[in-house]
Amino acid sequence: MDPRRVPRTVSDPKVRQVGFFAPPDRTQSGPPAPTSSSPPVSEISPSGNSLSPVMIPPPRNLSSDISRHFPPAPISPLRGGRGAADSSIPVGSYNPSEFISPTATADFSEDAVSPGWSRKGNSAKFASSLPTGGIGMAAVKQNNVPASGLATVSTVRMPKAVTEKGGATGEVQMEQQPGDSKISKEKTTKAERRALQEAQRAAKAAAKSGGSKTQAAASGVNSINANTGKVPKVTPSKKDSSSVAASEKRGGDRQPDKDRKKDVPHPRMQFDDENRVEKAKRRSVVKQTEARSRVELFRHLPQYEHGTRLPDLESRFFQLDPIHPAVYKVGVRYLAGDISGGNARCIAMLQAFQESIRDYSTPPEKSLIRDLTTKINSYVSFLIECRPLSISMGNAIRFLKTRINKLALNLSESEAKASILLDIDRFINEKIILADKVIVKHAVTKIRDGDVLLTYGSSSAVEMILLHAHELGKQFRVVIVDSRPKLEGQMLLRRLVGQGISCTYTHLNAVSYVMHEVTRVLLGASSVLSNGTVYSRVGTASVAMVAHQFRVPVLICCEAYKFHERVQLDSICSNELGDPDAIARVSGRTEINYLEGWTNSENLQLLNLIYDATPSDYVSMIITDYGMIPPTSVPVIVREYQREHLWI
Amino acid sequence: MATEIPQSRQNLDPQISLYYQTRAAHHAVVTNDWLAQAQAAVGHHPEDAVSENSSLKSAGGEESGNGFSVVNEFNNWRKQPDLAEAVAAIRALASVIRSSQATTMMELEIELKKASDSLKSWDTTSISLTAGCDLFMRYVTRTSALEYEDFNSAKSRLLERAERFGEISYKARKIIAMLSQDFIFDGCTILVHGFSRVVLEVLRTAAQNRKLFRVFCTEGRPDRTGLRLSNELAKLDVPVKLLIDSAVAYSMDEVDMVFVGADGVVESGGIINMMGTYQIALVAKSMNKPVYVAAESYKFARLYPLDQKDMVPALHPIDFGVPLPSKVEVEMSARDYTPPQYLTLLFTDLGILSPSVVSDELIQLYL
């Protein structure tokens, strides 16, 4: 993340103090402020939700090491903190020393409900110790970093048992530091309570073993972990409802948290947060190794060594009791890349769920609704481990959970199951299959004889439109633009040529060359967001931009169930990272091996993005099953969906 | 209702727009007196179209089986230049409900649908007619009254809604005029294109409120509607200056705002209006002048043109005054499409909206 960007601190909406105030009493081991995005200014002030962002903290009488290295300049806490503490490049929180420290750099994500506080505390402490005695150590550590992602875990242990103890008792210690006011924001009081529990638990654990488990308030995400015992959800905030449902099952201590959870959108797991990644790894079903060399800017996204998961997963097929085999199969297919495309993945997932629901039977003494929801949650976590969810899948899951929740309590088990199965069938039929038919019907009215249509990659909706228009006898030709490493356009090309449509095939680098003869551009989308931004396969934005420049109308074909109320301004904050080796290799050309051994080079990182965001200015029209709408009307559709419960 | 439209018999070309021809007939340079006489002489109207329409009428009458013809009602439009075509259609449809002798809801709806189709087919190039009919159907039938057991109460509810819609549409002009008063300030210069009765109403109201402004009128070839408009404005004592169409860019500097009406407002938020509107909007945008569109809400159509040629063509004959060699082609399109990015605001009876609201309204109505 941009180090210049001050992370927005989120104050607890219920309690807000503005102006100078005395920091809360440190002596109590009160809830450490596991507030997210607290600028790591080292303030490390555990004073949870008491700080207002507008306030300039009074000079702190911090413990010596800290104050030395973190000048009280809250304006750019990041830079101030970093610059002072790090001997390495002050690249925001990504500097290696930070990375080494057990604290994660979770500050950039406002919604990363991570114990940024305590983490920072540790880092501060650790970092502060750098100059004093650890330069050599730091250097050593830095060398360790590129070696292997896993190794970082162990390096954590190196610095000192103290630190993890520090981590364990970090919160406690931090509270003892006076005066650091600062940020605050305490994202959720629930997180505080959680953190407190974790702290106490960790204190016990740390007392027993020197595990490098810096608990630090797990935050909402971990509550799900504890609940399902699976990897924390990487899913976007729309899983909030699921977490609420999940949290219902926890003990009473979760009750107050539930309300809090409803107010605040559920944060996604940020993968630059060492501790949580650690935790996630331990709980995950699929064992994956983290990629070694990762691009700084995208550290908040998960990236694993490709190919490491599959063999392991396959071998454990018969041991995975909690996962239904159908779901397992689908997960493995995702992993292998057999199923791709929003609709295909969604349908495959829903059908797998259908199978599992068919075979489901309520355990005694349990309510069907709750238990089924838990099961679905666990399946979803598993699927996330295989491959992060697409937005269409997320919406489908949300629909499914809503339907399960709405089941009348007096239904017998078989009736309830039949009802859910029917709902899923209707969803697939109405929202996907029929929706596609309606889209095709609208879109062919926009294709005239003599048109030259350009499409990018391979979208199922666009393919259907082209085939249908050809059946209707319209005369047109198609230009297919493709790109590495997936080269999805080749499949589309094969199918279209097989039907007798005249096609031109080219790669993305030639799109501006070919655009002058194009009359319409047809693109698919993985999702359309509320501000009209189209979230689609990487490269789509470039094509749309060139088309806009040439004043060629851009038509996006997207079913309405893929719309989401989220707003995204760039392609960085939320994306998916693919296998970087796919870029390094060119299939069929073994002599092109310039990038062999790229992982050994410290200066080189490969980035394989899967999605990108196209701004709404480049989009002329969106064709959905609701008709043809301008991009500004997407929030209206999203609102109508939710209001009229058009989710069947 | 499969009667082939008489247009093919009376027009040179099936695409020549009856709508625009009629408007030209109304608003070409003609005096009020002449029109009054024409109205008085209804029964002896010399135009062919009437006789065509009478055959249409009778056909429509037979089909509806009760001697009532919606097209009869609708033809009042041709005799009242002040009434908007769509409003006349809406009122005609309302009277269909009133005089319907159906005994079940289904029958009534079918009757309505037939009447609406026959009206729409009378002129397929008129967007406001189609839009008005469609919106009327949606508005009227979108009521839970249709679930009532009692047919009569349901019918009266339908009628109530229909008349309300008719009232709203009829009053739309006044509402728009009232809303737009704030935008006309003393000393401003307004550029107007085409003869829009809504815009005229706006300016008339402003003049009556004693605002001081002056108006630039484009000539509006080939119908020369601008001349008529300038005539009307002169009667209101508003300073008017006539510009030939090519002089728009030249005078744009002195202009404070551009006011146009619309034949139809499309889903993207753009408008379809008399030929020349797009040009003026382009010039205005490049010079940072606001473009305001005054359009009633029944003109919101479910169309989405991607470019100028993406609409049903509406042609009208252009008279150059001199004979042209036969090899020379003439662009006869009567209208063009202005994309939403060149429009600043829409003044409608629903309020003063930004162009992106059109789609929102349509979605809510059609959902």
Side-chain angles (χ1 to χ4, degrees):
Chain A
M1 277 280 218
D2 185 356
R4 294 184 296 279
R5 208 185 293 173
V6 179
R8 240 176 328 120
T9 58
V10 177
S11 307
D12 172 359
K14 290 193 181 136
V15 176
R16 199 173 177 145
Q17 303 180 27
V18 180
F20 290 102
F21 60 91
D25 188 12
R26 290 310 150 108
T27 53
Q28 64 185 19
S29 59
T35 54
S36 56
S37 69
S38 39
V41 175
S42 66
E43 299 326 329
I44 311 160
S45 122
S47 60
N49 42 349
S50 43
L51 289 164
S52 139
V54 301
M55 195 183 76
I56 299 179
R60 299 155 289 141
N61 25 349
L62 278 178
S63 54
S64 55
D65 7 355
I66 312 278
S67 52
R68 232 190 311 150
H69 301 282
F70 299 90
I75 312 306
S76 55
L78 271 165
R79 179 161 349 196
R82 293 293 173 283
D86 296 325
S87 46
S88 53
I89 324 128
V91 183
S93 62
Y94 286 127
N95 55 70
S97 65
E98 287 289 325
F99 187 57
I100 295 173
S101 77
T103 72
T105 57
D107 8 87
F108 298 137
S109 51
E110 291 82 55
D111 46 0
V113 184
S114 71
W117 271 125
S118 42
R119 304 271 173 75
K120 277 308 128 222
N122 286 343
S123 93
K125 290 171 59 63
F126 177 64
S128 65
S129 65
L130 267 179
T132 51
I135 303 254
M137 249 187 354
V140 168
K141 285 183 194 67
Q142 290 184 22
N143 286 342
N144 280 344
V145 173
S148 93
L150 280 182
T152 48
V153 173
S154 47
T155 53
V156 164
R157 216 170 285 155
M158 248 177 26
K160 51 236 342 206
V162 173
T163 322
E164 73 235 356
K165 214 30 178 187
T169 56
E171 293 86 9
V172 181
Q173 284 177 8
M174 287 183 281
E175 285 128 38
Q176 283 152 11
Q177 285 149 11
D180 44 76
S181 47
K182 189 71 77 74
I183 320 125
S184 59
K185 103 265 73 76
E186 179 48 28
K187 179 120 175 180
T188 65
T189 50
K190 159 181 164 200
E192 285 174 74
R193 282 184 281 269
R194 188 93 174 78
L196 173 58
Q197 283 169 0
E198 294 278 358
Q200 288 161 349
R201 234 179 277 151
K204 255 190 272 174
K208 290 180 195 155
S209 67
S212 63
K213 220 181 172 161
T214 43
Q215 50 303 352
S219 83
V221 175
N222 286 341
S223 75
I224 308 299
N225 289 345
N227 184 30
T228 61
K230 297 285 183 236
V231 75
K233 294 200 193 336
V234 190
T235 53
S237 54
K238 60 183 170 316
K239 305 284 280 174
D240 188 28
S241 60
S242 70
S243 48
V244 172
S247 59
E248 282 182 56
K249 292 170 197 88
R250 323 228 37 208
D253 59 345
R254 294 282 156 247
Q255 287 313 343
D257 302 339
K258 201 181 4 163
D259 302 313
R260 175 53 46 132
K261 253 206 136 23
K262 278 191 182 116
D263 298 345
V264 178
H266 186 77
R268 276 167 274 180
M269 170 146 162
Q270 301 292 332
F271 283 83
D272 42 15
D273 178 344
E274 258 308 290
N275 291 325
R276 292 218 264 129
V277 173
E278 254 315 289
K279 257 202 174 93
K281 245 198 284 260
R282 237 169 296 106
R283 293 198 180 120
S284 69
V285 176
V286 185
K287 287 281 174 268
Q288 329 192 40
T289 53
E290 279 196 9
R292 282 160 288 170
S293 172
R294 302 171 56 163
V295 178
E296 298 294 343
L297 200 59
F298 289 91
R299 250 190 224 292
H300 57 289
L301 300 171
Q303 175 148 41
Y304 301 106
E305 293 280 326
H306 218 69
T308 52
R309 297 169 271 175
L310 204 49
D312 182 55
L313 206 57
E314 282 171 348
S315 66
R316 296 174 59 201
F317 182 80
F318 296 107
Q319 300 159 14
L320 286 178
D321 244 354
I323 308 284
H324 188 275
V327 177
Y328 188 81
K329 265 195 288 194
V330 161
V332 170
R333 294 182 70 188
Y334 284 167
L335 207 50
D338 278 350
I339 307 183
S340 82
N343 283 343
R345 288 171 71 190
C346 190
I347 293 180
M349 175 188 77
L350 285 176
Q351 285 173 341
F353 282 169
Q354 271 186 322
E355 287 251 2
S356 68
I357 291 178
R358 251 179 231 126
D359 299 340
Y360 169 80
S361 59
T362 319
E365 305 297 330
K366 291 219 176 139
S367 123
L368 176 134
I369 296 179
R370 295 191 178 178
D371 191 58
L372 189 54
T373 311
T374 321
K375 259 203 147 26
I376 299 285
N377 283 344
S378 65
Y379 295 159
V380 170
S381 315
F382 169 72
L383 290 177
I384 294 174
E385 284 174 46
C386 298
R387 188 177 161 186
L389 292 183
S390 67
I391 297 187
S392 58
M393 291 165 69
N395 285 348
I397 292 170
R398 191 160 58 154
F399 156 78
L400 180 60
K401 290 206 182 139
T402 316
R403 296 310 300 171
I404 295 179
N405 274 334
K406 287 215 170 97
L407 281 176
L409 290 169
N410 57 355
L411 288 179
S412 76
E413 181 179 316
S414 57
E415 279 173 3
K417 278 168 41 170
S419 154
I420 293 290
L421 291 174
L422 192 63
D423 281 339
I424 295 181
D425 268 333
R426 280 177 65 194
F427 182 86
I428 294 180
N429 258 333
E430 289 183 23
K431 302 292 176 207
I432 307 183
I433 300 184
L434 278 176
D436 277 340
K437 292 204 171 80
V438 175
I439 290 177
V440 168
K441 189 175 67 105
H442 284 299
V444 294
T445 61
K446 289 297 175 197
I447 301 179
R448 313 161 294 192
D449 283 342
D451 263 347
V452 178
L453 307 172
L454 184 139
T455 183
Y456 175 75
S458 160
S459 158
S460 55
V462 173
E463 184 179 337
M464 282 194 266
I465 293 170
L466 294 174
L467 291 175
H468 191 247
H470 186 68
E471 271 170 42
L472 290 179
K474 301 207 180 208
Q475 303 296 319
F476 59 92
R477 66 183 177 91
V478 179
V479 178
I480 302 177
V481 178
D482 204 1
S483 74
R484 284 197 66 232
K486 290 206 170 188
L487 289 176
E488 290 167 323
Q490 291 181 346
M491 305 291 287
L492 177 64
L493 177 68
R494 187 180 291 273
R495 291 193 281 264
L496 290 184
V497 171
Q499 293 293 323
I501 302 177
S502 43
C503 299
T504 308
Y505 176 83
T506 180
H507 277 213
L508 189 60
N509 50 353
V511 70
S512 55
Y513 176 79
V514 96
M515 189 61 78
H516 72 95
E517 57 190 27
V518 171
T519 58
R520 301 264 193 270
V521 174
L522 285 172
L523 298 172
S526 169
S527 163
V528 182
L529 308 177
S530 261
N531 59 341
T533 304
V534 176
Y535 190 70
S536 178
R537 180 71 73 222
V538 66
T540 310
S542 311
V543 173
M545 186 168 64
V546 174
H548 180 80
Q549 192 58 36
F550 280 79
R551 308 200 35 107
V552 174
V554 174
L555 282 58
I556 305 287
C557 312
C558 178
E559 299 85 357
Y561 83 98
K562 289 181 179 166
F563 289 3
H564 198 265
E565 72 256 9
R566 189 170 101 205
V567 169
Q568 197 169 324
L569 300 176
D570 57 34
S571 310
I572 300 174
C573 56
S574 161
N575 209 319
E576 193 186 323
L577 294 178
D579 178 20
D581 279 328
I583 301 181
R585 288 189 306 263
V586 180
S587 70
R589 304 276 303 273
T590 48
E591 72 274 15
I592 303 184
N593 56 359
Y594 310 110
L595 288 179
E596 238 174 62
W598 62 274
T599 45
N600 301 329
S601 162
E602 281 186 21
N603 296 331
L604 180 63
Q605 282 122 24
L606 295 192
L607 178 68
N608 185 2
L609 284 179
I610 305 284
Y611 293 112
D612 70 10
T614 307
S616 60
D617 310 331
Y618 299 150
V619 177
S620 310
M621 161 199 314
I622 302 180
I623 309 180
T624 77
D625 41 325
Y626 280 76
M628 301 182 280
I629 61 172
T632 47
S633 291
V634 171
V636 179
I637 304 260
V638 172
R639 184 183 74 215
E640 295 295 321
Y641 244 61
Q642 290 170 357
R643 180 166 35 111
E644 299 189 29
H645 304 293
L646 288 178
W647 294 97
I648 305 191
Chain B
M1 177 79 209
T3 313
E4 225 14 278
I5 302 324
Q7 281 167 348
S8 50
R9 274 175 280 176
Q10 65 190 352
N11 289 339
L12 314 161
D13 177 328
Q15 285 178 335
I16 294 225
S17 167
L18 202 54
Y19 172 72
Y20 285 99
Q21 279 193 316
T22 319
R23 289 205 59 155
H26 276 149
H27 307 308
V29 188
V30 129
T31 64
N32 267 337
D33 306 356
W34 184 90
L35 262 169
Q37 287 174 6
Q39 281 180 23
V42 153
H44 309 288
H45 206 292
E47 292 190 21
D48 293 349
V50 173
S51 58
E52 303 302 347
N53 276 328
S54 53
S55 59
L56 194 64
K57 274 188 280 187
S58 48
E62 283 157 23
E63 299 228 6
S64 59
N66 56 6
F68 170 83
S69 163
V70 63
V71 188
N72 252 343
E73 292 277 322
F74 179 62
N75 272 325
N76 286 333
W77 173 70
R78 296 170 58 85
K79 302 171 187 102
Q80 283 180 46
D82 234 15
L83 191 61
E85 192 177 36
V87 177
I90 288 166
R91 287 193 159 167
L93 289 174
S95 57
V96 164
I97 301 182
R98 194 182 307 120
S99 59
S100 152
Q101 288 165 3
T103 46
T104 67
M105 194 44 69
M106 201 58 182
E107 210 180 317
L108 183 57
E109 279 187 53
I110 293 180
E111 233 180 86
L112 257 183
K113 185 96 178 37
K114 258 200 300 202
S116 164
D117 285 344
S118 73
L119 278 180
K120 281 196 282 189
S121 59
W122 182 77
D123 183 2
T124 52
T125 60
S126 167
I127 297 181
S128 61
L129 180 59
T130 314
C133 290
D134 282 341
L135 284 173
F136 175 86
M137 295 298 293
R138 289 296 306 182
Y139 184 81
V140 160
T141 56
R142 198 165 176 247
T143 162
S144 55
L146 294 182
E147 321 275 328
Y148 292 168
E149 300 290 333
D150 179 14
F151 173 69
N152 281 330
S153 63
K155 179 173 165 183
S156 61
R157 179 105 179 89
L158 274 188
L159 193 57
E160 192 186 312
R161 283 180 77 86
E163 306 213 310
R164 184 157 69 177
F165 193 61
E167 270 310 295
I168 293 175
S169 310
Y170 183 65
K171 295 211 172 94
R173 271 189 216 153
K174 296 246 171 359
I175 298 175
I176 294 175
M178 210 174 56
L179 287 173
S180 44
Q181 290 312 297
D182 284 333
F183 285 80
I184 302 177
F185 51 89
D186 278 340
C188 69
T189 304
I190 305 179
L191 176 66
V192 179
H193 180 68
F195 186 85
S196 160
R197 289 161 289 194
V198 189
V199 174
L200 183 57
E201 185 70 28
V202 169
L203 298 176
R204 186 180 288 138
T205 317
Q208 281 162 1
N209 291 341
R210 306 201 187 284
K211 297 217 176 175
L212 303 170
F213 59 95
R214 65 177 174 146
V215 176
F216 285 3
C217 252
T218 55
E219 187 192 2
R221 291 265 308 153
D223 303 327
R224 292 183 293 160
T225 53
L227 303 184
R228 177 149 172 82
L229 180 63
S230 56
N231 206 4
E232 297 290 327
L233 286 174
K235 285 194 209 136
L236 299 170
D237 281 334
V238 173
V240 179
K241 186 165 178 183
L242 258 185
L243 310 170
I244 54 170
D245 297 332
S246 345
V248 166
Y250 175 80
S251 325
M252 189 57 82
D253 268 337
E254 306 172 77
V255 165
D256 291 313
M257 63 183 90
V258 179
F259 249 105
V260 290
D263 288 333
V265 183
V266 295
E267 244 180 306
S268 59
I271 58 167
I272 297 184
N273 199 18
M274 173 169 154
M275 180 65 80
T277 312
Y278 184 30
Q279 219 158 277
I280 295 179
L282 275 172
V283 174
K285 172 93 180 198
S286 73
M287 295 194 180
N288 283 324
K289 308 287 178 186
V291 176
Y292 299 132
V293 176
E296 302 94 317
S297 62
Y298 56 75
K299 289 183 176 159
F300 289 5
R302 285 216 89 180
L303 295 170
Y304 205 129
L306 290 173
D307 50 33
Q308 297 303 321
K309 305 293 189 305
D310 208 1
M311 307 177 282
V312 175
L315 311 175
H316 62 164
I318 302 182
D319 177 24
F320 287 102
V322 290
L324 294 173
S326 54
K327 278 189 293 197
V328 175
E329 265 185 61
V330 176
E331 174 61 61
M332 295 206 293
S333 179
R335 61 192 180 192
D336 60 21
Y337 164 64
T338 308
Q341 53 261 33
Y342 301 107
L343 306 175
T344 317
L345 288 176
L346 296 179
F347 294 167
T348 72
D349 45 299
L350 303 173
I352 302 191
L353 313 168
S354 78
S356 50
V357 170
V358 176
S359 179
D360 294 1
E361 290 293 325
L362 282 175
I363 288 177
Q364 289 181 10
L365 196 56
Y366 277 89
L367 208 54

